[in-house]
Amino acid sequence: MISMRAAISFVITAIILGLALPVSAQDNGGIDPEALIARILGVESKQREAVSDVVFDAEYVEGENGKDGEFIEKIRFVKKVYVKYLEDTVFFHEDYLEYYKDGELQSQEKTAKEAADRLDKDKKRKRRNISYPMHMPFYAENRDEYEITYMGVAEESINDYVCHHFKVVSLKEDADHINGDFYFEAESFHLVRVDFRPAKLVKKLMFKLKKLDMSVLYAPRPEGFWFPTQFDIQGSGKAAFFIGVKFAGSEYYRNPVVNGGIKDKIFEVDYGE
């Protein structure tokens, strides 16, 4: 059964879109998915126009799930994350400020070494971060590369929000495309959560991924902007000599500073002499 809050939000959404109401609360035939997508992209575009850059305080926690399912922390980083939006691209940079291993604060030298190693691996594995435009499958120029299905109003609230649910399946099987479930807030049309995975897992000589599930959670700020608050990742694979590897991590984003003016120099890559 759909909740009263969901029913009210559903009616409001239908009125806003100027569409006929469904025959029943569970019948989504009255919603035009294309009109809904157009409204979602309009909201995303409006925020992109208003936000030129944002800086987050971030904390990344990595570990593994024990046999009982309990998360065991192995590594923790305190970071600063910088994102700058340009017309046709997004710049991303992160500074590793503190490094904890098994709960103990490591030296600045070890922090710098671990940061360099992780940044190099992220580049080679094409790891996604919060600068990746999650709305990309919905853009007109990419629609022929995805099958997008409107699943209706989600039966359960997502982070306490009533949401429209879309299922996205890539028609191209490669690591650059994604499959996932997208949840958009029913009144504001902002993205609340996306659960996704690569359309094809990376397989290299020394490491083969068997599973890589990711999830990004978004929430509104007092000024009305919606930003990521949490990025979760879980995966497994096989390293050299068939050693099984399991990993799980969560990154939390706090205290966003919007349009503070980030200098381009911070995004420059030092390739050495």
Side-chain angles (χ1 to χ4, degrees), residues 155-172:
E155 293 186 3
E156 297 182 357
S157 64
I158 308 297
N159 200 28
D160 295 328
Y161 292 101
V162 177
C163 293
H164 293 290
H165 176 197
F166 284 87
K167 183 172 288 292
V168 171
V169 178
S170 174
L171 300 178
K172 292 188 176 182

Side-chain angles (χ1 to χ4, degrees), residues 172-236:
K172 292 188 176 182
E173 191 174 337
D174 60 32
D176 293 327
H177 289 70
I178 63 172
N179 300 323
D181 291 274
F182 290 70
Y183 299 90
F184 298 92
E185 207 271 321
E187 294 183 28
S188 71
F189 305 99
H190 280 284
L191 183 59
V192 176
R193 194 182 81 198
V194 54
D195 304 322
F196 67 105
R197 62 212 63 85
K200 184 177 182 180
L201 296 175
V202 174
K203 294 184 179 181
K204 295 183 179 294
L205 180 63
M206 299 299 289
F207 185 76
K208 294 183 179 180
L209 272 173
K210 295 179 63 179
K211 172 185 175 183
L212 184 61
D213 294 335
M214 293 165 281
S215 180
V216 187
L217 192 64
Y218 300 78
R221 301 300 303 170
E223 61 272 23
F225 299 127
W226 286 63
F227 290 121
T229 58
Q230 185 173 334
F231 189 121
D232 297 319
I233 182 169
Q234 289 190 22
S236 62

Side-chain angles (χ1 to χ4, degrees), residues 30-94:
I31 288 289
D32 179 357
E34 292 301 328
L36 191 55
I37 290 173
R39 194 62 183 269
I40 287 167
L41 292 179
V43 167
E44 187 245 1
S45 177
K46 185 177 180 180
Q47 175 162 316
R48 282 288 298 268
E49 291 175 359
V51 177
S52 59
D53 58 67
V54 58
V55 180
F56 297 94
D57 292 328
E59 186 176 35
Y60 177 73
V61 182
E62 184 178 286
E64 60 184 22
N65 293 319
K67 293 182 179 180
D68 57 357
E70 183 181 0
F71 180 76
I72 302 172
E73 179 182 323
K74 298 290 187 179
I75 288 173
R76 179 184 296 264
F77 290 102
V78 175
K79 303 194 293 184
K80 205 81 169 178
V81 172
Y82 304 82
V83 184
K84 186 168 185 175
Y85 303 94
L86 301 180
E87 184 176 352
D88 57 354
T89 190
V90 181
F91 289 156
F92 177 86
H93 176 78
E94 52 188 352

